[in-house]
Amino acid sequence: MFNIDKETFKKDYEEKFIEMHGKDLHEGTDYNKYEALASLTRDYVVKMWINTNKKYNFTGEKQVYYFSMEFLLGRLLGNALINLGIKDICREALSDFNINLDSLEELEEDQGLGNGGLGRLAACFLDSMASLNIPGHGCGIRYKYGFFQQKIVNGKQIETSDYWLKNANVWEIKKSDKAQVVRFGGEVTTINEDGHLRFNHTGYEAILAVPYDIPVIGYENEVVNTLRLWSAEPLYDEFDFSSFSRGDYLKAIEYKNSIEAISQVLYPDDSFYEGKILRLKQQYFFVSAGIQSIIRHFKAYGKGTLKDLDEKIAIHINDTHPTLAIPELMRILMDEEGYGWNEAWRITSNTISYTNHTILAEALEKWPVEMFEKLLPRIYMIVEEINRRFCQELWNKYIGQWDKISKMSIIADGYVRMAHLAIVGSYSVNGVAKLHTEILKKQEMSDFYYFNPTKFNNKTNGITHRRWLMGANPELTDFLKETIGSGFIKHPTDMEAFAAYAMDKSVQERLHQIKLSNKKKLAEYIKINQGISVNPDSLFDVQVKRIHAYKRQTLNCLRIMDLYRRLIENPNLDIVPRTFIFAGKAAPGYYLAKNTIELINAVANKINNDPKVNEKIKIVFMHNYRVSLAETIIPAADLSEQISTTTKEASGTSNMKFMMNGAVTIATLDGANIEIRDEVGDENIIIFGLTEREVLDYYQKGGYSATDMINGDYRIKQVTDDIVNGFYCGDKERFRAVYEHLVTYNDEFFVLKDFHSYLKAQDKVDNLYRDFSKWQSMCAVNIAHSGIFSSDRTIQEYATGIWGSGFLYKNL
Ligand code: 26V
């Protein structure tokens, strides 16, 4: 374990500061001070990083490569200090210089290279792999612009670009010597050489993929793994000005820009697939660079030949976005290394494993054949051959069943279906929560499941408790240590011991105090950043996540609108004062989601400015939701809203973060909510809404009518009318999209159907909250049972159940 005493740290820090900034510490700005601290921390890490790599090369342990289009890391400094085990020393040392560590940490830009759940999961997994001594590395894209920044202007979302690299990024190291060449376009000709087919690729465009490495620090174990992000550059970056005419010069610049465009921007959609060629380019770009660098490294240091690749290396693809890893590995093994098809296929399909993260049909990737073939001619040939052989296999098994075969085919109707390719080319397919995996097996992917049942398995998601508990909620962490000891940090399921204290009055009081202190901090943040005063003694009712129809922010909003009507009718209505907190970004092209944000803001504006009710209820739509904001909001939540239409949320991960921080959950039986319920028991969670069966019946048999719901129920009628009658905004048309989706288009997410059951559940919340002891005991039980949702548990399951890697808990 890394060790440093306070005095040495102070000396190192001062030296670092002077070396970096050429002035004395007391002359520096706060940002200078942050830079010096981050840079010093990185220096401490670098030696361990080198040693870790040396060790991996020496021992030849199996290496895991986690391929993902997104890694939503957030800030890195605080996490690095925790995992190095020097946060306390650092805090004390800095305070000797009159510097506050927390305020320096806040100066760091979030590294926001992801949309939401899928990207954050990848980041949690990296943290867990390093902390569990698993040689596991990330591979992705170094987007110049991360996920957009959200502003709310006149109640509307406005997107601005996230140029997160404007200040030097101390966490990355550019490795120009490890660059790879990636080829697009051109023609492939086939040559028969002594009975062997050779593929000659000519006329292509070659692009340089340059890696930037980011250290991934394990928790107090001196392991530092690598996240490698690729950036696109022209192969030849210099041109001779004198020999260029003006036109050539401009063309050359345009060319440079067109290449750099590949790693320029993260696509801000996470639910609607669009066949954009740039996205396909991004996918092949990082996958090809990543696979080439793995092979190059394996050939230089690996023990054994490429024949043993599947024993020495596991490549995991995070959703279908990196699926081209399959044909790319085939290409390298056959065209560059001389393996025949069968051997290459054995190696490839035993090396690659795949996770599915969504069943929303509209998010499934399928690329037009024409586009695919033109951009990646050799890769397309390989995909065609994979498909030909697969269909042959199907044909042998399902003789004459053309429908089934065309349903399962990888290429059909002019498209390449990436999920099919991912399933066929990998040895393991997993879903991210029990229900989700069952739905994949029995419905969405049932043909593939029955064809090959052993390939399918479940790995319920998790979150790293090092960021989401220790980092975000130090007070609760200290209290847990005081009560049950520190063992839970390395063995998160040991948190169960805390359940024994759930009825203890002094424990309940402390939990309340800790929550209150987090709520005060959030209230202050809200006041400073959004100018709204909220009461920390009110119940903080929180829904923070991407804005999407299936997540049903509308249900929450309608419920508030209903409550407001009831309060107008009866100002003495006896309710627990609440602060409703929303946050989340809508995809820029997702009109309905953006309209939902407008509605929430309009409702907030009206209610917050109505003195008759604003002592009892307040609404805040917090701007620019991101990892660092989540770290402030989640520890302050009393109630966690997990209210998606049953069957639609694959897992959810904020649900786990909230429970770990002692919030009570109100939820549908969807995704991992079911497993949370199983852990805490029915009496410690509030469940409502349609069951899986009921939802599926509606989808299969129909029978849901929004109009009937409205006509048969005056409260539903009132709240839906209030969307379009000018009650919240003079412009009656303003929220038309929300209304039409709910009513005219007969809302496929059944908001109105779940409305009353949700209201009842919320009444139950009120009653429970009034009973101090009961509520606090629920919080305690939730914390106690959250350990199983640490991503350490998830990663152990991946390591033993899929990757066959790692010496788990070796040093524990
Ligand atoms: C899909 C697409 C579709 C095409 C446009 C770009 C794009 C980018 C990302 C995605 C993946 C969306 C899937 C996703 O984020 N799923 C979430 O994964 C979480 C981690 O497993 C899980 O907790 C959430 O329930 C699930 O919605």
Side-chain angles (χ1 to χ4, degrees):
M1 175 181 149
F2 179 68
N3 243 325
I4 193 155
D5 62 77
K6 188 170 99 177
E7 290 313 314
T8 318
F9 185 91
K10 281 168 71 176
K11 196 169 131 282
D12 289 354
Y13 181 64
E14 244 185 323
E15 277 173 20
K16 182 70 184 180
F17 188 94
I18 292 168
E19 172 204 312
M20 246 184 128
H21 299 300
K23 57 187 171 190
D24 279 334
L25 187 51
H26 69 266
E27 297 171 287
T29 63
D30 286 349
Y31 195 77
N32 291 157
K33 290 172 191 167
Y34 156 74
E35 282 175 307
L37 179 60
S39 178
L40 175 63
T41 309
R42 198 199 71 175
D43 290 352
Y44 290 149
V45 167
V46 165
K47 272 199 198 112
M48 293 182 222
W49 201 0
I50 295 170
N51 287 338
T52 303
N53 283 327
K54 273 194 195 146
K55 184 185 139 235
Y56 291 159
N57 290 341
F58 179 74
T59 59
E61 294 168 71
K62 189 165 191 176
Q63 303 288 307
V64 176
Y65 295 94
Y66 196 84
F67 276 50
S68 177
M69 281 283 263
E70 304 186 6
F71 288 93
L72 191 46
L73 299 180
R75 292 178 177 145
L76 297 180
L77 176 60
N79 179 247
L81 295 173
I82 289 178
N83 285 8
L84 288 175
I86 59 168
K87 193 157 185 175
D88 291 339
I89 290 279
C90 171
R91 185 184 297 284
E92 288 168 27
L94 291 177
S95 88
D96 284 0
F97 293 123
N98 253 332
I99 299 172
N100 177 279
L101 174 60
D102 296 332
S103 36
L104 290 197
E105 279 182 36
E106 307 219 325
L107 298 175
E108 184 175 351
E109 286 280 327
D110 274 45
Q111 189 154 330
L113 307 186
N115 267 283
L118 169 140
R120 184 54 232 173
L121 186 78
C124 285
F125 280 6
L126 292 180
D127 186 72
S128 285
M129 287 193 285
S131 298
L132 294 175
N133 303 309
I134 293 170
H137 314 283
C139 176
I141 298 176
R142 180 181 180 268
Y143 301 102
K144 191 162 164 193
Y145 296 95
F147 196 29
F148 68 84
Q149 308 260 8
Q150 178 195 55
K151 294 211 165 75
I152 303 292
V153 179
N154 293 330
K156 281 188 179 181
Q157 168 175 296
I158 304 291
E159 302 90 27
T160 61
S161 63
D162 172 49
Y163 187 36
W164 66 286
L165 288 165
K166 58 183 170 292
N167 302 308
N169 177 6
V170 302
W171 302 110
E172 63 182 14
I173 298 184
K174 182 173 183 175
K175 297 274 172 73
S176 300
D177 58 318
K178 301 222 159 63
Q180 306 289 338
V181 175
V182 179
R183 295 176 300 178
F184 291 102
E187 292 84 43
V188 177
T189 45
T190 313
I191 309 157
N192 193 330
E193 269 179 19
D194 310 329
H196 289 286
L197 287 185
R198 298 260 172 271
F199 297 90
N200 195 18
H201 192 181
T202 53
Y204 52 78
E205 179 180 40
I207 285 168
L208 200 63
V210 183
Y212 288 71
D213 287 355
I214 297 170
V216 181
I217 307 158
Y219 181 72
E220 295 192 353
N221 62 359
E222 298 207 32
V223 168
V224 181
N225 289 337
T226 302
L227 167 59
R228 175 161 285 184
L229 300 179
W230 297 93
S231 180
E233 289 184 13
L235 201 47
Y236 306 103
D237 201 12
E238 291 145 19
F239 40 93
D240 177 2
F241 288 97
S242 58
S243 68
F244 277 102
S245 71
R246 187 168 174 279
D248 284 343
Y249 171 72
L250 289 178
K251 253 195 220 137
I253 296 281
E254 273 170 25
Y255 176 69
K256 185 173 185 298
N257 287 343
S258 77
I259 284 176
E260 287 170 357
I262 295 177
S263 53
Q264 192 90 349
V265 61
L266 165 80
Y267 275 96
D269 299 291
D270 68 349
S271 35
F272 296 103
Y273 162 76
E274 262 185 293
K276 291 249 177 69
I277 192 159
L278 184 59
R279 192 167 157 90
L280 182 59
K281 262 192 166 175
Q282 291 186 329
Q283 297 189 347
Y284 184 66
F285 167 74
F286 93 97
V287 155
S288 173
I291 302 270
Q292 290 186 61
S293 95
I294 291 170
I295 298 291
R296 186 162 95 168
H297 188 264
F298 183 80
K299 285 170 76 177
Y301 300 98
K303 311 267 184 279
T305 70
L306 283 169
K307 265 188 180 348
D308 311 318
L309 193 75
D310 56 316
E311 279 166 29
K312 296 292 175 187
I313 276 168
I315 296 174
H316 198 87
I317 57 177
N318 198 23
D319 218 288
T320 54
H321 320 141
T323 301
L324 294 173
I326 294 162
E328 176 65 2
L329 184 52
M330 289 294 286
R331 182 189 69 78
I332 293 173
L333 290 171
M334 294 188 302
D335 298 2
E336 292 181 11
E337 303 295 335
Y339 286 93
W341 181 278
N342 290 338
E343 190 66 349
W345 184 247
R346 180 193 63 75
I347 297 168
T348 302
S349 56
N350 283 325
T351 300
I352 294 178
S353 48
Y354 153 61
T355 299
N356 172 285
H357 293 268
T358 182
I359 58 157
L360 296 180
E362 60 271 29
L364 293 183
E365 293 193 297
K366 52 184 192 352
W367 296 105
V369 163
E370 215 182 323
M371 179 198 286
F372 194 123
E373 191 174 12
K374 198 156 172 225
L375 188 69
L376 307 167
R378 177 63 185 130
I379 294 297
Y380 183 71
M381 288 169 88
I382 293 170
V383 172
E384 258 190 328
E385 182 60 15
I386 294 173
N387 190 44
R388 196 190 63 75
R389 289 172 184 242
F390 176 59
C391 289
Q392 181 66 54
E393 228 183 297
L394 291 175
W395 177 246
N396 295 340
K397 184 157 177 180
Y398 303 121
I399 300 161
Q401 297 185 44
W402 282 114
D403 276 1
K404 194 183 193 82
I405 295 169
S406 73
K407 242 171 82 200
M408 294 176 75
S409 177
I410 296 167
I411 304 171
D413 308 325
Y415 287 97
V416 182
R417 301 158 167 173
M418 299 307 266
H420 294 198
L421 180 57
I423 300 170
V424 173
S426 61
Y427 65 92
S428 165
V429 177
N430 74 282
V432 291
K434 280 181 193 162
L435 174 67
H436 171 60
T437 302
E438 282 313 302
I439 293 174
L440 290 181
K441 292 200 308 199
K442 304 291 160 56
Q443 288 163 50
E444 302 306 306
M445 296 178 170
S446 59
D447 290 331
F448 290 93
Y449 172 65
Y450 292 116
F451 183 65
N452 199 344
T454 52
K455 227 184 226 193
F456 287 76
N457 62 89
N458 177 57
K459 297 285 170 280
T460 299
N461 281 166
I463 55 161
T464 169
H465 59 289
R466 286 167 290 274
R467 178 176 291 266
W468 296 106
L469 177 61
M470 298 163 69
N473 202 342
E475 282 187 68
L476 180 58
T477 308
D478 286 345
F479 182 48
L480 286 171
K481 284 187 199 163
E482 230 176 80
T483 321
I484 58 168
S486 302
F488 73 92
I489 291 175
K490 290 213 169 176
H491 300 277
T493 48
D494 287 359
M495 284 163 84
E496 273 173 29
F498 193 61
Y501 298 86
M503 296 310 294
D504 181 316
K505 293 280 168 247
S506 67
V507 167
Q508 294 184 348
E509 187 49 40
R510 275 291 290 282
L511 278 183
H512 170 68
Q513 289 305 331
I514 292 167
K515 185 66 76 185
L516 189 62
S517 143
N518 291 328
K519 286 163 80 173
K520 284 182 179 156
K521 282 183 209 146
L522 179 60
E524 193 183 310
Y525 181 97
I526 292 172
K527 181 76 195 158
I528 293 171
N529 290 281
Q530 301 195 203
I532 303 172
S533 306
V534 301
N535 173 10
D537 290 319
S538 64
L539 187 161
F540 279 19
D541 176 335
V542 183
Q543 187 175 19
V544 289
K545 48 184 81 252
R546 286 301 290 267
I547 312 293
H548 197 296
Y550 86 81
K551 295 181 188 277
R552 300 201 297 189
Q553 281 89 359
T554 323
L555 176 59
N556 191 351
C557 189
L558 288 183
R559 184 257 152 174
I560 299 169
M561 290 160 67
D562 175 75
L563 183 59
Y564 183 37
R565 278 287 181 191
R566 284 198 287 153
L567 281 167
I568 293 172
E569 277 163 29
N570 174 12
N572 297 321
L573 191 72
D574 185 22
I575 56 161
V576 171
R578 285 204 203 200
T579 302
F580 299 96
I581 295 168
F582 292 86
K585 293 176 183 172
Y590 187 178
Y591 189 77
L592 175 62
K594 292 177 100 171
N595 201 223
T596 306
I597 293 179
E598 280 186 67
L599 177 62
I600 295 169
N601 277 293
V603 172
N605 194 33
K606 173 122 181 165
I607 291 178
N608 295 350
N609 291 304
D610 182 344
K612 292 192 294 301
V613 300
N614 67 11
E615 293 290 308
K616 285 191 170 159
I617 55 174
K618 275 263 168 77
I619 307 175
V620 185
F621 186 96
M622 297 191 69
H623 308 172
N624 203 28
Y625 188 57
R626 60 197 183 283
V627 173
S628 59
L629 186 57
E631 288 166 7
T632 312
I633 296 176
I634 291 171
D638 293 305
L639 185 66
S640 155
E641 298 271 354
Q642 307 298 338
I643 60 177
S644 54
T645 309
T646 302
T647 73
K648 294 292 178 187
E649 189 70 272
S651 160
T653 42
S654 76
N655 44 5
M656 303 168 183
K657 294 164 196 164
F658 280 106
M659 83 179 287
M660 194 174 271
N661 281 281
V664 171
T665 307
I666 181 165
T668 50
L669 283 177
D670 197 16
N673 300 344
I674 299 174
E675 288 151 81
I676 292 177
R677 191 269 322 258
D678 293 346
E679 287 298 319
V680 301
D682 281 314
E683 63 289 4
N684 292 301
I685 187 168
I686 296 126
I687 299 292
F688 74 98
L690 293 168
T691 62
E692 178 204 358
R693 197 57 275 149
E694 289 166 328
V695 168
L696 295 178
D697 276 354
Y698 274 131
Y699 286 136
Q700 278 152 18
K701 302 179 192 152
Y704 172 74
S705 162
T707 321
D708 288 353
M709 302 280 334
I710 291 170
N711 292 336
D713 186 306
Y714 78 96
R715 277 172 82 177
I716 294 185
K717 173 144 183 43
Q718 174 82 76
V719 284
T720 45
D721 280 354
D722 280 350
I723 304 174
V724 283
N725 62 9
F727 185 64
Y728 287 100
C729 160
D731 177 2
K732 292 185 181 175
E733 294 305 306
R734 184 145 182 206
F735 317 115
R736 177 62 63 185
V738 172
Y739 184 84
E740 303 241 298
H741 185 268
L742 281 178
V743 185
T744 321
Y745 302 115
N746 204 32
D747 170 33
E748 62 187 299
F749 302 114
F750 314 123
V751 166
L752 303 182
K753 192 78 208 170
D754 273 346
F755 186 68
H756 277 289
S757 136
Y758 183 53
L759 293 188
K760 237 171 103 187
Q762 291 287 10
D763 286 344
K764 193 169 164 193
V765 170
D766 258 33
N767 290 332
L768 288 164
Y769 193 78
R770 284 179 217 265
D771 181 344
F772 179 86
S773 171
K774 173 68 191 155
W775 186 267
Q776 296 304 328
S777 77
M778 291 173 78
C779 299
V781 170
N782 272 274
I783 296 166
H785 290 280
S786 66
I788 190 115
F789 298 108
S790 163
S791 45
D792 288 6
R793 185 268 312 147
T794 316
I795 283 299
Q796 275 187 77
E797 291 179 3
Y798 274 89
T800 50
I802 300 180
W803 304 326
S805 72
F807 302 105
L808 301 181
Y809 286 136
K810 194 176 59 174
N811 296 332
L812 307 182

